[in-house]
Amino acid sequence: MTTAAPRVPEVLSGRPQRADARRNYEKLVEAAREAFASEGAAASLEDIARRAQVGIGTLYRHFPTRQDLFQSVYATEVEALCRSAHDVADLPAWEALVTWLHQFVCYINTKRAVAEELIASIGRDSELFRSGRAAIYGAGGPLLERAQRVGAARTDTSFDDVMRLISGITMIHFSDPGQIDRVLGLALDGLRYQGARRPA
């Protein structure tokens, strides 16, 4: 049995409003994001507090449980990814889509570090994950649609297809750090509209 989990907006609404407390909260979330990405979900809370340059008591005031911290990291990453879709909106359609998909790869790398812990505690189909997916699709989907409208991207694919493709690539172990960018480039070449195909 899983415990109830809030929606992404509900998690984010718990951020403190007072400036100094808000700064500490944000420093802790960023430190946790870095620690979970580099060391995995078992990264120590004491190390996270040191990275954020705050005391462990400050961490516990903001995040009474480790799950609270996982949820805040996840929700903050979703918010940043959705905001980045707005930030690239003024770029040419194809460039905007590709730039955002690279941001999505970075998001997946962080999400993987906390996803297993959250899935174990609140379930894969929890409200938190459902609202996160809805927010991401709502932010990124229009970028693909715009690229399709101007003839920059294939029209025989959906945003869900693209998400599954990119997510699958991030699951591969790459010994060369630059290889994921090359493989992602190959995948995006397949998404780009190539004009009428020559008859076989």
Side-chain angles (χ1 to χ4, degrees):
M1 183 175 179
T2 59
T3 57
R7 297 170 60 86
V8 165
E10 292 169 352
V11 173
L12 294 173
S13 71
R15 290 180 297 197
Q17 298 302 309
R18 206 177 72 231
D20 56 343
R22 178 72 173 257
R23 282 194 297 271
N24 284 339
Y25 177 98
E26 291 173 350
K27 287 195 299 183
L28 282 163
V29 170
E30 177 61 19
R33 186 190 70 79
E34 293 175 355
F36 294 148
S38 62
E39 301 171 27
S44 82
L45 298 183
E46 289 78 8
D47 179 55
I48 290 169
R50 280 195 298 271
R51 287 173 183 250
Q53 299 181 325
V54 301
I56 189 67
T58 298
L59 184 150
Y60 280 117
R61 276 196 299 276
H62 289 292
F63 308 106
T65 70
R66 182 177 284 264
Q67 181 175 311
D68 292 328
L69 186 54
F70 287 143
Q71 290 186 354
S72 293
V73 170
Y74 171 78
T76 301
E77 287 292 289
V78 168
E79 180 189 48
L81 183 64
C82 293
R83 188 170 57 246
S84 72
H86 174 76
D87 294 341
V88 303
D90 290 335
L91 296 174
W94 179 253
E95 185 180 349
L97 176 62
V98 170
T99 300
W100 187 82
L101 288 174
H102 279 276
Q103 291 291 325
F104 179 74
V105 169
C106 295
Y107 157 79
I108 286 290
N109 288 337
T110 300
K111 177 191 171 188
R112 183 178 298 119
V114 300
E116 288 187 7
E117 295 293 328
L118 286 175
I119 288 169
S121 59
I122 63 177
R124 189 181 300 276
D125 197 41
S126 70
E127 189 65 27
L128 181 66
F129 284 137
R130 286 201 303 271
S131 66
R133 284 192 294 269
I136 290 168
Y137 275 52
L143 296 177
L144 175 62
E145 292 167 7
R146 178 181 166 220
Q148 290 171 327
R149 282 196 306 272
V150 303
R154 294 169 51 156
T155 57
D156 60 346
T157 190
S158 68
F159 187 69
D160 187 61
D161 294 337
V162 176
M163 289 291 93
R164 291 177 184 275
L165 172 66
I166 304 302
S167 297
I169 289 173
T170 66
M171 296 298 292
I172 302 170
H173 174 70
F174 295 101
S175 56
D176 173 8
Q179 189 176 21
I180 188 170
D181 287 329
R182 296 194 297 273
V183 172
L184 181 58
L186 290 171
L188 293 176
D189 281 346
L191 174 64
R192 192 166 194 169
Y193 179 67
Q194 303 296 333
R197 295 180 181 273
R198 294 180 180 178

